[in-house]
Amino acid sequence: MKSKQNKQSEGTSSFQELRERLRGMTAMERFEYIAAYYWGRILVAVGLVIALIWCVQWVGNLQNNTIFYVALMDAAYSEEEVDALCEGFVSTLDGRGAHDVMRLDTSLVYLPDSQKGTELYNSYLSKEIMMESSGLDVYLTPQEFYDENKDSEEMFLSLEEVLGEEYEDYAEDIVDGTALVLEDCLILQQDGANYEPIYLTVPSGAEHVDLIPAFIRYLTQ
């Protein structure tokens, strides 16, 4: 019991001594003093806060269920605008769970051969990303990218097969049966791309083909 009281007394005394030392210092001197003697504890506290935030985000990501995955090339969206677009689309769908999300990848940049002679780079984009990216459902690109890759075997799915009965609603804006030309859509209205029109295609490995008609309706509303 006495030991506990002694520790409390020592702690109170130390706190009072710290107050006395700080009282006669300027604001800068106080900062330098605290930083010198408590820097280690400050770093530990900051580290714990960062770790806690990371754990919360990690758990949240584990709960998320990606129901639709879109890649927008040469995007001009901010992170907040990307979130708004994705949440807007998911909100239009019936029967979706609280953790269902749409993913919009805006990290890809198109480098045409005519500008930098990047034939190998463009080949990598078309073959590796468009055909082998797991879960990719829709690709939104400049016309030049589509023109350079449209003749590749099994690159794009037929939009007539994807859209079914809705195909006729967009037929006049569909090129070669595999690309929908978007000249006035939500992304262009929000200045979300660095080019126009946008060519919408469906890679052959798309996993959520059933949601593509709803996504097109969302973009062209």
Side-chain angles (χ1 to χ4, degrees):
M1 184 69 178
K2 290 183 178 181
S3 177
K4 183 176 181 180
Q5 291 176 342
N6 289 337
K7 289 182 179 180
Q8 291 177 340
S9 177
E10 291 175 0
T12 302
S13 176
S14 298
F15 179 71
Q16 290 175 344
E17 290 178 6
L18 177 61
R19 289 185 61 184
E20 290 298 325
R21 290 181 183 179
L22 295 177
R23 183 173 297 174
M25 297 181 183
T26 64
M28 181 57 68
E29 289 173 337
R30 290 174 184 173
F31 173 79
E32 291 176 349
Y33 179 82
I34 292 174
Y37 288 93
Y38 297 95
W39 188 244
R41 297 180 182 179
I42 293 173
L43 288 178
V44 171
V46 171
L48 289 174
V49 171
I50 293 175
L52 178 61
I53 293 174
W54 181 86
C55 287
V56 171
Q57 292 178 336
W58 181 71
V59 171
N61 289 334
L62 284 179
Q63 293 177 324
N64 287 342
N65 174 38
T66 300
I67 61 170
F68 204 62
Y69 178 18
V70 178
L72 172 62
M73 188 174 286
D74 287 347
Y77 272 132
S78 66
E79 185 176 346
E80 292 75 16
E81 290 169 328
V82 167
D83 291 340
L85 185 76
C86 294
E87 292 170 5
F89 171 61
V90 174
S91 69
T92 66
L93 304 175
D94 296 327
R96 296 300 170 183
H99 298 291
D100 288 346
V101 298
M102 167 186 157
R103 178 184 173 190
L104 178 62
D105 185 352
T106 59
S107 65
L108 301 178
V109 177
Y110 173 61
L111 298 177
D113 293 342
S114 59
Q115 289 184 12
K116 296 188 177 181
T118 54
E119 182 177 355
L120 181 60
Y121 182 71
N122 288 330
S123 176
Y124 169 78
L125 280 180
S126 62
K127 299 297 190 299
E128 297 299 322
I129 295 179
M130 297 190 69
M131 296 189 68
E132 297 181 9
S133 289
S134 176
L136 181 61
D137 298 303
V138 166
Y139 220 77
L140 304 171
T141 71
Q143 177 182 350
E144 292 80 5
F145 183 86
Y146 174 74
D147 288 343
E148 290 181 6
N149 294 282
K150 63 183 179 181
D151 295 328
S152 300
E153 293 184 6
E154 300 181 355
M155 176 71 76
F156 308 114
L157 292 181
S158 164
L159 290 182
E160 185 171 8
E161 296 178 4
V162 171
L163 295 174
E165 296 179 355
E166 295 185 49
Y167 178 83
E168 293 301 324
D169 297 336
Y170 307 99
E172 62 181 16
D173 296 318
I174 292 176
V175 177
D176 298 325
T178 55
L180 174 61
V181 182
L182 300 173
E183 296 183 342
D184 181 21
C185 67
L186 186 59
I187 293 174
L188 292 178
Q189 292 168 7
Q190 297 174 345
D191 296 324
N194 292 314
Y195 53 90
E196 60 178 298
I198 292 175
Y199 272 55
L200 181 152
T201 55
V202 180
S204 58
E207 295 184 0
H208 306 100
V209 176
D210 59 311
L211 293 180
I212 293 174
F215 181 64
I216 293 176
R217 289 197 299 271
Y218 174 67
L219 291 182
T220 57
Q221 60 186 339

